[in-house]
């Protein structure tokens, strides 16, 4: 397995974890400013990691 594909899979998993954590914060939010900031930060980081990981896996060619 290629190192780039492994790194892409790791980024994808980290992105999924970040998005799930943002969803948990959203469900348990009471409306405080700290909750909204952390929701935005974890959501955006999760989205960036997820999309970059998916893109890295898709664009990396297999070399057999």
């Amino acid at each position: 397995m290629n190192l780039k594909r492994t790194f892409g899979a790791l980024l994808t998993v980290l992105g999924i974890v970040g998005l799930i954590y943002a969803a948990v914060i959203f469900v348990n939010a009471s409306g405080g400013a700290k909750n909204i900031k952390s929701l935005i930060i974890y959501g955006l980081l999760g989205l960036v990691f997820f999309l970059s990981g998916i893109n890295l896996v898709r664009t990396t060619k297999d070399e057999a």
Side-chain angles (χ1 to χ4, degrees), residues 10-47:
L10 178 68
L11 282 176
T12 304
V13 170
L14 285 175
I16 290 171
V17 169
L19 290 173
I20 289 173
Y21 189 66
V24 168
I25 291 174
F26 178 72
V27 169
N28 295 330
S30 62
K34 185 176 181 182
N35 285 341
I36 295 189
K37 285 181 185 178
S38 61
L39 174 68
I40 291 172
I41 289 170
Y42 287 121
L44 284 178
L45 282 176
L47 187 66

Side-chain angles (χ1 to χ4, degrees), residues 42-53:
Y42 287 121
L44 284 178
L45 282 176
L47 187 66
V48 166
F49 281 6
F50 180 73
L51 292 177
S52 64

